[in-house]
Amino acid sequence: MAEGNEKVVLHGMWGSPYVKRVELALKIKGIPFEYVEEDLSNKSPLLLQYNPVHKKVPVLVHNGKPMCESLVILEYIDETWPNLGPQLLPKDPYQRAQVRFWASYIQELLDKLGKLITNDKEAQKKAIEEIYEKQKILEDGMKEFFFPTGQPEVSVEKLGILEIMVAVTLGAFKIQEEVFGVKVIDPEKNPLLFSWVNALIELPVVKEIAPPREKVIALFEFLLQRGIKL
Ligand SMILES: N[C@@H](CCC(=O)N[C@@H](CS)C(=O)NCC(=O)O)C(=O)O
């Protein structure tokens, strides 16, 4: 249990999808934590001390012990507080393996989404085709392993690592569509994914961690102008 004498600190950056994964996991589990916003253009000595290898956020510090890499942190949270909130990974080893597999696949999708940040329309068209291809594979995988009825089941009690990954990776799709001028999730091509994401972003706990719309638009526009990929 996250007792009163436990100290959990998350070092993050407001717009980072990796940080949002951890923030969402902590909220789903109901673990109180302190949040430290890092300036990635001027990294704090503490961040460099905690993550000397990659020098990146998120870093979670539990009772003084730092750990890095969002997916590693999610598993740590689940293992450390197994009885708090929903289980983020299933108990069954085969199911766990499936979840880990698809979580890393969704990471690949996030990498592709980063390619939309370009003023090169041809490159953007290629990126969106690759994104649709990956989304289709994800949708088929979800049908086979998790939603055999073809309908996503979404409830706060059942949120796990896959829901966290999907909500954070695709949760800003409407803003991305607005800024990049492309359809990021096509309901005709991927109806299950479309309704899954829409149901997830309506959950209060997901809304709570979503950064303000205006700030996200400004960030995407800034990245677009500078040609910076996420
Ligand atoms: N694989 C890492 C990726 C984390 C990451 O890329 N964080 C970015 C923020 S979105 C960062 O800290 N960038 C700082 C830098 O690259 O110097 C994870 O899953 O935690």
Side-chain angles (χ1 to χ4, degrees):
M1 288 269 295
E3 307 284 356
N5 59 359
E6 293 221 41
K7 192 163 160 66
V8 180
V9 184
L10 173 62
H11 289 253
M13 191 281 273
W14 69 269
S16 163
Y18 305 97
V19 173
K20 291 289 158 191
R21 292 172 186 172
V22 177
E23 206 177 326
L24 184 52
L26 291 168
K27 296 233 176 211
I28 289 171
K29 287 278 205 183
I31 299 161
F33 65 98
E34 191 186 309
Y35 177 77
V36 177
E37 176 74 8
E38 292 286 345
D39 174 358
L40 296 180
S41 62
N42 179 22
K43 295 174 184 169
S44 72
L46 214 49
L47 174 61
L48 301 177
Q49 177 195 323
Y50 287 148
N51 190 354
V53 176
H54 297 302
K55 306 174 180 65
K56 290 184 176 188
V57 289
V59 172
L60 189 77
V61 190
H62 181 207
N63 293 337
K65 291 179 293 186
M67 70 208 79
C68 314
E69 288 298 313
S70 56
L71 288 174
V72 173
I73 301 172
L74 294 188
E75 294 210 17
Y76 177 87
I77 291 173
D78 205 31
E79 287 167 8
T80 306
W81 293 283
N83 303 320
L84 218 55
Q87 242 188 286
L88 302 182
L89 269 169
K91 276 209 171 72
D92 174 72
Y94 184 69
Q95 285 288 323
R96 285 169 88 84
Q98 294 305 322
V99 168
R100 287 189 178 112
F101 174 84
W102 287 110
S104 92
Y105 192 79
I106 298 165
Q107 173 59 53
E108 289 176 28
L109 184 57
L110 177 64
D111 297 340
K112 292 277 179 224
L113 283 164
K115 293 193 172 178
L116 288 178
I117 306 171
T118 171
N119 287 309
D120 177 341
K121 287 290 159 200
E122 267 313 298
Q124 205 172 57
K125 198 166 162 251
K126 187 166 175 280
I128 200 68
E129 275 157 18
E130 289 172 359
I131 288 166
Y132 289 156
E133 210 176 293
K134 283 215 170 294
Q135 287 179 343
K136 175 87 186 90
I137 293 170
L138 176 64
E139 169 136 345
D140 290 346
M142 292 304 98
K143 269 187 206 150
E144 185 174 349
F145 292 105
F146 302 103
F147 305 129
T149 61
Q151 282 305 313
E153 288 168 42
V154 172
S155 69
V156 192
E157 301 76 40
K158 284 195 180 162
L159 293 178
I161 284 185
L162 282 186
E163 283 80 2
I164 292 173
M165 291 295 287
V166 168
V168 171
T169 305
L170 291 165
F173 81 97
K174 290 179 193 162
I175 300 180
Q176 287 165 331
E177 290 182 349
E178 215 175 285
V179 177
F180 304 130
V182 289
K183 196 170 266 306
V184 175
I185 312 178
D186 187 334
E188 287 185 10
K189 287 187 169 63
N190 290 305
L192 182 141
L193 189 63
F194 185 76
S195 49
W196 196 18
V197 174
N198 276 295
L200 286 169
I201 58 179
E202 282 309 313
L203 293 174
V205 71
V206 175
K207 283 192 170 164
E208 234 180 274
I209 62 109
R213 183 187 139 76
E214 297 313 319
K215 260 179 111 172
V216 180
I217 293 180
L219 176 66
F220 282 142
E221 281 173 348
F222 169 81
L223 295 172
L224 205 52
Q225 268 169 21
R226 295 278 183 100
I228 299 171
K229 303 225 176 338
L230 277 179

